[in-house]
Amino acid sequence: MTATTMTLAGAINRGLRAAMERDPKVLLMGEDVGQLGGVFRVTDGLWKDFGPDRVMDTPLAESGIVGTAIGMAMRGYRPVVEIQFDGFIFPAYDQITTQLAKMHYRSRGLINLPVVIRVPFAGGIGAVEHHSESPEALFAHTAGLRLITPATPQDAFDGIQQAIASPDPVLFFEPKARYWDKGEVDDARVAAQLEGEHGAAGATAEMARARVAREGADVTLVAYGPTVRLALQSAEVAAAEGVSVEVVDLRSISPLDSATVVRSAKRTGRVVIVHEAPTSFGPGAELSARVTEQAFFHLHAPVLRVGGFHAPYPGSKLEHDYLPNLDRVLEAVDRVMTH
Amino acid sequence: MTATTMTLAGAINRGLRAAMERDPKVLLMGEDVGQLGGVFRVTDGLWKDFGPDRVMDTPLAESGIVGTAIGMAMRGYRPVVEIQFDGFIFPAYDQITTQLAKMHYRSRGLINLPVVIRVPFAGGIGAVEHHSESPEALFAHTAGLRLITPATPQDAFDGIQQAIASPDPVLFFEPKARYWDKGEVDDARVAAQLEGEHGAAGATAEMARARVAREGADVTLVAYGPTVRLALQSAEVAAAEGVSVEVVDLRSISPLDSATVVRSAKRTGRVVIVHEAPTSFGPGAELSARVTEQAFFHLHAPVLRVGGFHAPYPGSKLEHDYLPNLDRVLEAVDRVMTH
Amino acid sequence: MEAHGPLSDEGLVQMLTPAGERVEDERFSSFAAHLDADDLRAMWRDMVLVRAFDTEATSLQRQGQLGLWVPCLGQEAAQIGSGHALRPSDYVFPSYREHGVAFTRGVDLPEILRLFRGLQHGAWDPAAHGFHLYTLVIGAHSLHATGYAMAMDRDGLVATGDADRDGAVICYFGDGATSQGDVNESFTFASVNRAPIVFFVQNNQFAISEPTTCQSTVPIAQRGDGFGIPSVRVDGNDVIASYAVSQWALRRARAGEGPVLVEAFTYRMGAHTTSDDPTRYRTKADEQYWAERDPIARLEAHLVSLGELSDDFADGVRAEAKELGRRTRETVRSWGKPPLAEMFQHVYAEPHATVEAERAWFERYEASFADAEARA
Amino acid sequence: MEAHGPLSDEGLVQMLTPAGERVEDERFSSFAAHLDADDLRAMWRDMVLVRAFDTEATSLQRQGQLGLWVPCLGQEAAQIGSGHALRPSDYVFPSYREHGVAFTRGVDLPEILRLFRGLQHGAWDPAAHGFHLYTLVIGAHSLHATGYAMAMDRDGLVATGDADRDGAVICYFGDGATSQGDVNESFTFASVNRAPIVFFVQNNQFAISEPTTCQSTVPIAQRGDGFGIPSVRVDGNDVIASYAVSQWALRRARAGEGPVLVEAFTYRMGAHTTSDDPTRYRTKADEQYWAERDPIARLEAHLVSLGELSDDFADGVRAEAKELGRRTRETVRSWGKPPLAEMFQHVYAEPHATVEAERAWFERYEASFADAEARA
Ligand SMILES: Cc1ncc(C[n+]2csc(CCOP(=O)(O)OP(=O)(O)O)c2C)c(N)n1
Ligand SMILES: Cc1ncc(C[n+]2csc(CCOP(=O)(O)OP(=O)(O)O)c2C)c(N)n1
Ligand SMILES: [Mg+2]
Ligand SMILES: [Mg+2]
């Protein structure tokens, strides 16, 4: 094992590089991903080292980027598309939901589309409109897509490679406010997995699993991507107040590893879900519904959700009031603990 | 009161005509809505009577249709856009979610966009791919939009006029399999409402309310649009088996009138939700989560959902197995009744 | 017809007049020069068979055997002409009306009906025929075609030095589709990547009920120039001209000279689909005018005038057509309902927990009926 | 520069050379013939003020007073030239870099910074200025502009018979935006509706780091022709030519003669935004080349050569610029945090139960802290 400290953005960069070295069919596509290295520099250095044929600066058209990536995937390429910001994925919505998601089914399994769509997402970085959104629920409802989101450099490094190796289309949501968080990365693990007996199948299964990020007995606190750090902080504070919080990092939104959450819920009897996406019709709704369906008679309290409000993401001066924060998570933990 | 029997499609046609007569700013736009009267003939006769300036056959481009409708609404027009089929709304997804939904907020209330988007939706008519989808959850998550769906000719007639009168953008989902269902329509009610004291405000409030379609004591069965008839049939069969089922027709998906459902749930203690949309991350998830949050200690059983599967809508030979049907609804009713 | 509008016949390449007279075209004649009577007879045969199939499918729909049918009636010359210019090394992205092209790619025509009977959404093996599945979302496939062409280029299949090995993509769509953002984005991607692709627009003068004037104020072919894509308008009811122009375009693309836009000006002689009623939006006179320009009759007249259509041959083809009709009927009627399990198959390539859970539930649920029946 | 590529200077209308020499253009000179020295000085003043504001905004961003700034440095001539051709009866749809145009529409420049300080998403009353809000989703506003123009036409504001009353829409976007589906769909809608709209592309040669060659293989202006929209290329660093061409285009549109596409060929002298680092993708030499074509210096040289820029006038404008800078700083620093309640305001025009419930919860929640504090 060779553990190195790196940022989450750096881990994605290293993961992309490893994938490109492993498989010459891996291509990067997007706006400014080449010479500039992307507006967040996630693809930094790759254009220089792999050339413009493998790191392609595309025309400014998201539908076109995803649509041509589909065509290239039909010839065996594995395009990794960057959408510059969450709020700019919607021009590609039709290509993603009616084409990318459905081609495998439409072709009765004859066509695989191993396209990865990287989406820097969520807020908290003081950006202007359309640069802070959490659109994951708008994709999780569509069958045929996988959605994963890393919360740590290790998961970022592993996840991007698993996503690329997967024969299914994967939306890879990168919590941009966590890009500069550092962590240890063991770069041998995913390599062994991909080169191992189960290869891409194993990697696909692995990336779909939730992770218990902290054990606890009283409340199950579920988070993913941008809110995992907040959940861990909340657990810390709650512990000081005598409440033992188990933190589950979902890692995958589609499939949703509700089994891991249900297992935890059956022990704790109390569940709080925290995400940046608006609560109403958000990802937490599905998890809440499943946990209730499957663990109803173990619950001491209703599943609670802490998320964004049913309002457009506000100007950045208000974003920290709009987003879930420590106080709001603890308030929900308190509420479930009253039962 | 002047009650007339008409089909649901006919009721929308009459409602459009009434709205166009009431307000010269009301325009119809879409593919084939003019001379042809729309592929379902919902706009039949209107081109002839109001002329091509008010019933506009547009270029074949959904984003363009919605985008230009936004521009016209900025000058005080009230465009009613037809999307030919549910599966073809996605090219307009960016215009709907980043522009139509957010302009009022972005302009701090200076700009209203009273655009109505009519979407014939849901399945059961033996159609080819993309012609049977239920994408409502993909819009309900976005603040700034209202979503309503009628289940009866009366609600269709009233709803389309309320939607047009509302200052907010409204997605009007038309259950196409129910287009030919007949019912009595009182055409005076909505006229009185719109010309009454509260005018458009009252109409907007009214269209947001759920309706108890049948009273019952043991189970609350929630449906909307295409599944209301199925819910009523299920209630009938259950009654014969001694189970008293209350049927709630949501009518509005955004806002979701969860208060009406919660009220019912507190009485019955058991809730089943039935919709055609895929269950996973579907509309029922939000309702389930809210009912559980708000009525947890009144529930005898977990809220159950009956919906489409997490798979693309299948070839029409399989659609009646994919869609919720009487057996599946009754199975869920039985399951909640075991507690 | 507007003088300079999208329905004018300005600049149309023609090699066969409506009366079946062969005329030369300065730019394109050379691309059809090698066609001999056998080639022309083969094209005529293909058009006749495709029309027979098309007619049979319409009547199967009327009999309730199909949910829907999308006839290509009247567009046979554009499709068979371009289809004959294709080679196995090329790849086709059809829209949903290219049954004629499908035939030239070796797709067994009745198989197409699986789609329209509601058995499945895709009905043939695209790779086996170099013919992608139909795409019903207007224009969406134009981007796939462009990406596929870019990938062919990368794969060294273009401008190989051996003109017989080179390949290209051809992408079909309608006049209405040219309004879609996706199609215009394809033009940009194809142009800046110099992709080996031919965009083949069948301007059949309608998008359902809307005439082409709803989509453009100028001939559709003019669109290409604005993207730096050379364009040409061809009489799409003229199979020889359609062939020649496609040859030119494909050779250019295969040689690495970049994309081309071909507008084949034709007429949808039938309804948009079996759900459509064209009497609501066009006149009998218009239909009559175009009936006189029938692409099959035109080639037939030409062959007859050359003395190259023997009764034997013609009768043989007509018998083949009849047999195809019969086989189509029988094939369609032989199809049962697909197994329910197919609902859950091929949603993903690898297992997905939600699908697996729902499948498991469904199997238990189905089994419960079997159990109940067994007990009864 | 490619001979015929999108970065060539093929066909550029020019009336002022980089050295400030006035030259005539056969087609367009007449549209600038009425400009006198006062007019030119007014344009110079506007450019100087806008640049001062722009510079101040960049430094405020550096000081942490703004989250982001999007400079229009180098594009002043295209913006002020076209802006001066506008009338109150016209309506403008900017992209997000049109601070110069905003100024000509009477928007108080510091107000723009509300957006970039993160106070709100829209910062002025669009109707009051005939100047729509900025749109950050590339190209999305082009359709709104087209629809707005269609509505002006319906409202009888076009070709009224009184040229002074007629109005039109002008829509600004960049070279990168021309690749977006929406922009191309606008062209179609504008063309078939003969909408009174001028599409004004500022080709500043970059979409962030990507040169225009990533978006097109031919000059952007050529795009219009493919949609039946007359197009013209103008030197966008030449304020007189930009004015003249805009006059031509707007008069045509106002007179009901339909849409026009103007490509103003210019150069983004600064960074894309304050988050950008142009040294990663372009050379000093390139920047130097364009610095010598600075639009303000060019007009200044012209005015000086005419003896029409007195020290008094120039000093006065420079003082105004300084004052604008000061006022900008002070205004920005004076802004407090918006009230939290704004999160829930204007989500809908009429009450929405979900918003109301969340607002109520939030108020109780906020109040609980106040209570806790009061108790403490
Ligand atoms: C995105 C989308 N919008 C609408 C439709 C419905 N629709 C099916 S065919 C058609 C007309 C297509 O016209 P054209 O492109 O000219 O092709 P043609 O059918 O004439 O061959 C329309 C509007 C669709 N399939 N996809
Ligand atoms: C739909 C969309 N995709 C991506 C972006 C990110 N983005 C912001 S500006 C820009 C480049 C725009 O280039 P151009 O249209 O030439 O305008 P310029 O900034 O040069 O004025 C990009 C890619 C965006 N705002 N919207
Ligand atoms: Mg057509
Ligand atoms: Mg630019």
Side-chain angles (χ1 to χ4, degrees):
Chain A
M1 135 154 187
T2 48
T4 326
T5 301
M6 55 182 91
T7 61
L8 193 144
I12 301 170
N13 179 277
R14 301 275 193 103
L16 288 169
R17 179 180 290 275
M20 293 179 80
E21 282 166 354
R22 187 176 296 119
D23 182 351
K25 292 287 192 181
V26 176
L27 305 174
L28 311 191
M29 299 172 64
E31 297 155 9
D32 307 291
V33 297
Q35 195 166 2
L36 186 66
V39 295
F40 289 107
R41 307 291 182 265
V42 171
T43 57
D44 199 24
L46 301 174
W47 181 80
K48 195 166 146 283
D49 294 345
F50 294 94
D53 274 355
R54 293 194 61 200
V55 185
M56 302 165 62
D57 275 330
T58 63
L60 205 179
E62 287 75 12
S63 188
I65 300 170
V66 174
T68 53
I70 289 172
M72 296 208 284
M74 285 178 60
R75 279 200 66 82
Y77 286 92
R78 304 185 95 84
V80 183
V81 163
E82 174 176 302
I83 297 293
Q84 201 160 76
F85 282 91
D86 34 60
F88 306 135
I89 196 170
F90 305 117
Y93 199 81
D94 183 60
Q95 283 292 340
I96 297 172
T97 56
T98 77
Q99 303 301 313
L100 183 61
K102 294 186 167 67
M103 194 85 81
H104 186 71
Y105 184 80
R106 183 179 303 143
S107 71
R108 299 163 62 80
L110 293 174
I111 300 175
N112 284 352
L113 294 179
V115 175
V116 176
I117 303 185
R118 295 182 36 240
V119 192
F121 87 124
I125 65 160
V128 290
E129 200 184 358
H130 309 295
H131 291 69
S132 306
E133 299 185 9
S134 295
E136 59 274 20
L138 302 173
F139 295 95
H141 188 42
T142 298
L145 304 174
R146 294 178 184 270
L147 274 65
I148 67 173
T149 175
T152 65
Q154 180 74 60
D155 279 346
F157 180 82
D158 294 355
I160 190 68
Q161 292 181 70
Q162 291 161 334
I164 292 170
S166 173
D168 289 315
V170 180
L171 274 73
F172 188 75
F173 283 98
E174 305 175 359
K176 66 171 93 76
R178 306 271 68 81
Y179 268 153
W180 303 280
D181 287 6
K182 287 189 176 162
E184 289 278 284
V185 173
D186 166 5
D187 63 11
R189 214 168 70 176
V190 69
Q193 199 177 76
L194 289 171
E195 285 146 26
E197 194 185 348
H198 302 293
T204 305
E206 178 58 29
M207 75 181 185
R209 266 192 273 281
R211 164 180 83 96
V212 175
R214 174 188 174 117
E215 298 193 345
D218 301 328
V219 178
T220 303
L221 181 58
V222 186
Y224 57 82
T227 55
V228 171
R229 194 178 70 159
L230 171 64
L232 290 167
Q233 287 167 344
S234 306
E236 200 68 40
V237 176
E241 291 171 4
V243 179
S244 168
V245 173
E246 175 145 313
V247 175
V248 178
D249 170 5
L250 288 176
R251 296 165 81 246
S252 172
I253 300 171
S254 179
L256 190 61
D257 183 2
S258 37
T260 296
V261 180
V262 166
R263 210 150 43 230
S264 176
K266 283 186 175 167
R267 262 193 309 104
T268 62
R270 296 178 188 88
V271 179
V272 173
I273 305 163
V274 52
H275 54 57
E276 291 196 10
T279 306
S280 193
F281 292 92
E286 179 61 25
L287 189 60
S288 167
R290 289 200 197 177
V291 168
T292 307
E293 279 160 20
Q294 294 166 38
F296 184 71
F297 297 101
H298 297 79
L299 293 180
H300 306 312
V303 176
L304 294 186
R305 298 175 288 165
V306 181
F309 298 114
H310 189 66
Y313 197 91
S316 59
K317 287 283 180 212
L318 291 178
E319 71 181 330
H320 292 292
D321 301 284
Y322 173 90
L323 292 175
N325 58 22
L326 199 63
D327 283 333
R328 278 173 58 199
V329 174
L330 291 172
E331 189 269 349
V333 169
D334 282 353
R335 253 195 295 154
V336 284
M337 285 304 293
T338 60
H339 302 295
Chain B
M1 137 156 186
T2 48
T4 327
T5 301
M6 56 182 91
T7 62
L8 194 145
I12 301 171
N13 179 277
R14 300 275 191 103
L16 288 169
R17 179 181 290 275
M20 294 179 80
E21 282 167 353
R22 187 176 297 120
D23 182 351
K25 294 287 191 180
V26 175
L27 305 174
L28 310 191
M29 298 172 66
E31 297 155 9
D32 307 292
V33 297
Q35 194 166 5
L36 187 66
V39 295
F40 288 108
R41 307 290 183 265
V42 171
T43 57
D44 197 23
L46 301 174
W47 182 80
K48 194 164 146 284
D49 294 345
F50 294 94
D53 274 355
R54 293 194 60 198
V55 185
M56 302 165 63
D57 274 331
T58 63
L60 206 178
E62 287 74 10
S63 188
I65 300 170
V66 173
T68 53
I70 289 173
M72 295 209 284
M74 286 178 60
R75 280 200 65 82
Y77 287 92
R78 304 184 96 84
V80 182
V81 163
E82 174 174 302
I83 297 292
Q84 201 160 76
F85 282 91
D86 34 61
F88 306 136
I89 196 169
F90 304 117
Y93 199 80
D94 182 60
Q95 283 292 339
I96 296 173
T97 57
T98 78
Q99 304 301 314
L100 184 59
K102 293 188 168 66
M103 194 84 81
H104 187 70
Y105 184 80
R106 183 179 303 140
S107 71
R108 300 162 61 78
L110 292 174
I111 300 174
N112 286 349
L113 294 179
V115 175
V116 175
I117 303 185
R118 295 181 37 241
V119 192
F121 88 124
I125 64 161
V128 291
E129 200 186 359
H130 310 294
H131 291 67
S132 307
E133 299 185 8
S134 297
E136 58 274 20
L138 302 173
F139 295 94
H141 189 41
T142 297
L145 304 173
R146 294 177 184 272
L147 274 67
I148 67 174
T149 174
T152 65
Q154 180 75 60
D155 279 346
F157 181 80
D158 294 355
I160 191 66
Q161 293 182 69
Q162 291 161 335
I164 292 170
S166 173
D168 290 315
V170 180
L171 274 74
F172 188 77
F173 283 98
E174 305 175 0
K176 66 172 93 76
R178 304 272 70 78
Y179 268 153
W180 303 279
D181 286 6
K182 286 190 178 162
E184 289 278 285
V185 173
D186 166 6
D187 63 11
R189 215 170 68 176
V190 70
Q193 198 178 78
L194 288 171
E195 285 146 26
E197 196 186 346
H198 301 295
T204 307
E206 178 59 28
M207 74 183 187
R209 265 191 275 280
R211 166 179 81 95
V212 176
R214 174 189 174 117
E215 297 193 346
D218 301 327
V219 178
T220 304
L221 181 57
V222 185
Y224 57 82
T227 54
V228 171
R229 194 178 70 161
L230 170 64
L232 289 168
Q233 287 168 343
S234 307
E236 201 67 41
V237 176
E241 290 170 5
V243 179
S244 168
V245 173
E246 175 145 315
V247 175
V248 178
D249 170 5
L250 288 176
R251 296 166 82 245
S252 172
I253 299 170
S254 179
L256 191 61
D257 184 2
S258 37
T260 295
V261 180
V262 166
R263 212 153 37 231
S264 175
K266 284 185 176 167
R267 262 195 307 107
T268 62
R270 296 177 187 88
V271 179
V272 174
I273 305 163
V274 52
H275 54 57
E276 291 195 9
T279 307
S280 193
F281 292 92
E286 178 62 26
L287 190 60
S288 166
R290 290 199 196 178
V291 168
T292 307
E293 279 159 23
Q294 293 166 39
F296 185 70
F297 296 101
H298 297 80
L299 292 179
H300 306 313
V303 175
L304 294 186
R305 298 174 289 164
V306 181
F309 297 114
H310 189 68
Y313 197 93
S316 60
K317 288 281 180 213
L318 291 178
E319 71 181 331
H320 293 291
D321 300 284
Y322 173 91
L323 292 175
N325 57 23
L326 201 63
D327 283 333
R328 278 174 58 200
V329 174
L330 292 171
E331 188 270 347
V333 168
D334 282 353
R335 252 193 297 153
V336 285
M337 286 303 293
T338 60
H339 302 296
Chain C
M1 281 195 198
E2 242 182 281
H4 190 79
L7 298 179
S8 77
D9 51 15
E10 187 189 328
L12 285 185
V13 176
Q14 195 180 70
M15 304 199 181
L16 211 50
T17 67
E21 199 186 330
R22 186 77 166 73
V23 289
E24 295 303 319
D25 180 275
E26 207 186 318
R27 253 178 97 196
F28 295 101
S29 274
S30 65
F31 293 92
H34 58 280
L35 293 178
D36 60 19
D38 275 343
D39 294 323
L40 296 183
R41 268 191 299 266
M43 289 182 183
W44 180 79
R45 169 183 171 272
D46 287 1
M47 294 198 284
V48 169
L49 292 182
V50 166
R51 186 167 291 183
F53 166 72
D54 201 354
T55 308
E56 184 62 47
T58 295
S59 85
L60 283 167
Q61 196 281 337
R62 294 277 173 254
Q63 295 157 33
Q65 293 292 326
L66 302 176
L68 183 82
W69 179 240
V70 184
C72 65
L73 198 74
Q75 302 180 211
E76 293 90 349
Q79 296 192 13
I80 299 298
S82 57
H84 274 247
L86 290 166
R87 293 201 307 222
S89 55
D90 299 321
Y91 207 89
V92 181
F93 282 80
S95 159
Y96 44 75
R97 200 188 287 286
E98 282 68 44
H99 322 311
V101 186
F103 188 58
T104 69
R105 301 304 284 177
V107 173
D108 187 33
L109 290 173
E111 289 300 307
I112 297 177
L113 303 180
R114 290 183 181 276
L115 184 59
F116 296 95
R117 194 173 165 88
L119 303 179
Q120 56 203 60
H121 298 319
W124 53 88
D125 179 347
H129 300 284
F131 188 76
H132 186 58
L133 301 174
Y134 283 174
T135 297
L136 302 191
V137 177
I138 300 290
H141 63 300
S142 64
L143 287 164
H144 313 160
T146 304
Y148 195 96
M150 288 160 60
M152 282 180 77
D153 187 20
R154 258 151 222 275
D155 287 342
L157 302 176
V158 175
T160 61
D162 172 358
D164 286 338
R165 273 183 50 218
D166 294 345
V169 166
I170 189 166
C171 177
Y172 291 87
F173 46 82
D175 45 301
T178 62
S179 293
Q180 282 286 0
D182 273 6
V183 170
N184 291 282
E185 293 187 10
S186 309
F187 294 158
T188 289
F189 278 75
S191 179
V192 302
N193 288 292
R194 216 180 158 85
I197 181 168
V198 176
F199 296 107
F200 194 98
V201 184
Q202 288 169 80
N203 179 356
N204 64 5
Q205 307 189 40
F206 291 94
I208 310 187
S209 71
E210 298 188 2
T212 311
T213 48
C214 279
Q215 319 290 343
S216 185
T217 55
V218 292
I220 298 287
Q222 200 165 316
R223 181 73 55 84
D225 304 324
F227 291 86
I229 299 180
S231 308
V232 59
R233 291 192 90 199
V234 60
D235 181 337
N237 283 15
D238 171 348
V239 72
I240 301 181
S242 295
Y243 172 85
V245 162
S246 302
Q247 272 292 12
W248 165 76
L250 287 161
R251 282 191 203 159
R252 244 185 134 270
R254 291 182 198 123
E257 290 168 44
V260 176
L261 174 67
V262 174
E263 176 192 357
F265 189 70
T266 177
Y267 187 79
R268 197 192 71 210
M269 289 172 70
H272 170 69
T273 68
T274 46
S275 302
D276 180 37
D277 173 9
T279 65
R280 293 181 74 109
Y281 55 83
R282 66 188 192 189
T283 60
K284 275 262 160 282
D286 200 32
E287 292 183 357
Q288 189 49 44
Y289 176 88
W290 285 97
E292 287 156 18
R293 277 147 191 79
D294 184 314
I296 301 185
R298 191 184 297 200
L299 180 59
E300 200 166 306
H302 179 59
L303 283 168
V304 168
S305 76
L306 293 178
E308 287 287 1
L309 195 69
S310 69
D311 284 353
D312 258 19
F313 181 81
D315 289 348
V317 170
R318 292 203 180 95
E320 256 192 292
K322 209 169 154 196
E323 167 57 17
L324 175 60
R326 192 201 52 76
R327 191 164 63 82
T328 300
R329 270 190 308 280
E330 285 201 355
T331 306
V332 166
R333 288 173 198 273
S334 76
W335 288 326
K337 182 175 167 174
L340 298 190
E342 287 200 0
M343 284 194 288
F344 304 100
Q345 271 163 23
H346 306 305
V347 181
Y348 294 86
E350 287 294 330
H352 183 283
T354 306
V355 177
E356 297 317 318
E358 291 184 347
R359 186 210 303 268
W361 176 85
F362 190 74
E363 281 168 5
R364 282 198 310 277
Y365 166 79
E366 283 292 304
S368 72
F369 291 105
D371 289 355
E373 262 171 48
R375 277 197 304 274
Chain D
M1 280 195 197
E2 240 183 279
H4 190 78
L7 298 177
S8 76
D9 51 16
E10 187 188 328
L12 284 186
V13 176
Q14 196 180 67
M15 302 199 182
L16 212 49
T17 68
E21 199 186 328
R22 186 78 167 72
V23 290
E24 295 303 319
D25 181 274
E26 207 185 317
R27 252 179 97 197
F28 295 101
S29 275
S30 65
F31 293 92
H34 58 281
L35 293 178
D36 61 18
D38 275 344
D39 293 324
L40 296 184
R41 269 191 298 267
M43 289 181 182
W44 180 78
R45 170 182 171 271
D46 286 2
M47 294 199 284
V48 169
L49 292 183
V50 167
R51 186 168 292 181
F53 166 72
D54 201 354
T55 310
E56 184 62 46
T58 295
S59 86
L60 283 167
Q61 196 281 336
R62 295 279 173 253
Q63 294 156 34
Q65 294 291 326
L66 301 176
L68 183 81
W69 179 238
V70 184
C72 65
L73 199 74
Q75 301 180 211
E76 294 90 350
Q79 296 193 12
I80 299 297
S82 57
H84 274 246
L86 290 166
R87 292 200 308 219
S89 54
D90 297 323
Y91 207 89
V92 180
F93 282 80
S95 159
Y96 44 76
R97 200 187 287 285
E98 281 70 41
H99 322 311
V101 187
F103 188 58
T104 69
R105 299 304 283 176
V107 174
D108 187 33
L109 290 173
E111 290 299 308
I112 297 178
L113 302 180
R114 290 183 180 276
L115 185 60
F116 296 95
R117 194 173 165 90
L119 304 179
Q120 57 202 59
H121 297 320
W124 54 86
D125 179 348
H129 300 283
F131 187 76
H132 187 57
L133 300 173
Y134 283 174
T135 298
L136 303 191
V137 177
I138 299 289
H141 63 300
S142 63
L143 287 165
H144 312 159
T146 303
Y148 195 97
M150 288 160 61
M152 282 180 77
D153 187 20
R154 255 152 224 277
D155 287 342
L157 302 176
V158 176
T160 60
D162 172 358
D164 285 338
R165 272 183 51 216
D166 293 346
V169 166
I170 189 165
C171 176
Y172 292 87
F173 47 81
D175 45 302
T178 61
S179 293
Q180 282 286 0
D182 274 6
V183 169
N184 292 283
E185 292 188 8
S186 307
F187 295 158
T188 289
F189 278 76
S191 179
V192 301
N193 288 290
R194 214 181 160 83
I197 181 168
V198 176
F199 296 107
F200 194 97
V201 185
Q202 289 169 79
N203 179 355
N204 63 6
Q205 307 191 38
F206 291 94
I208 309 187
S209 72
E210 299 188 1
T212 311
T213 47
C214 279
Q215 319 291 343
S216 185
T217 55
V218 291
I220 298 286
Q222 201 165 315
R223 181 73 55 85
D225 304 323
F227 292 86
I229 299 180
S231 308
V232 59
R233 289 193 92 199
V234 61
D235 180 339
N237 282 15
D238 171 347
V239 72
I240 301 179
S242 295
Y243 172 85
V245 162
S246 303
Q247 271 293 11
W248 166 75
L250 287 162
R251 281 189 203 161
R252 246 186 133 269
R254 291 182 198 125
E257 289 168 42
V260 175
L261 174 67
V262 174
E263 176 192 359
F265 189 69
T266 177
Y267 185 78
R268 197 193 70 210
M269 289 172 69
H272 170 69
T273 67
T274 47
S275 303
D276 180 38
D277 173 10
T279 65
R280 293 180 75 110
Y281 55 83
R282 67 188 190 190
T283 61
K284 274 263 161 278
D286 201 30
E287 292 184 356
Q288 189 49 44
Y289 176 87
W290 284 97
E292 287 157 17
R293 276 148 190 80
D294 184 314
I296 301 185
R298 190 183 295 200
L299 180 59
E300 200 166 304
H302 179 58
L303 282 168
V304 167
S305 77
L306 294 177
E308 288 287 2
L309 194 68
S310 69
D311 283 353
D312 258 19
F313 181 82
D315 289 348
V317 169
R318 290 200 183 97
E320 257 192 293
K322 210 170 152 195
E323 167 56 17
L324 175 60
R326 193 201 52 76
R327 191 164 63 83
T328 300
R329 271 191 306 282
E330 284 201 356
T331 305
V332 166
R333 288 174 200 272
S334 76
W335 287 327
K337 182 175 166 174
L340 299 189
E342 286 198 0
M343 285 194 289
F344 303 101
Q345 272 162 25
H346 306 306
V347 180
Y348 294 87
E350 287 294 330
H352 184 283
T354 306
V355 176
E356 297 316 318
E358 290 184 348
R359 186 211 303 268
W361 176 86
F362 189 73
E363 280 167 5
R364 281 197 312 276
Y365 166 78
E366 283 292 303
S368 73
F369 291 105
D371 289 357
E373 258 171 53
R375 276 196 306 273

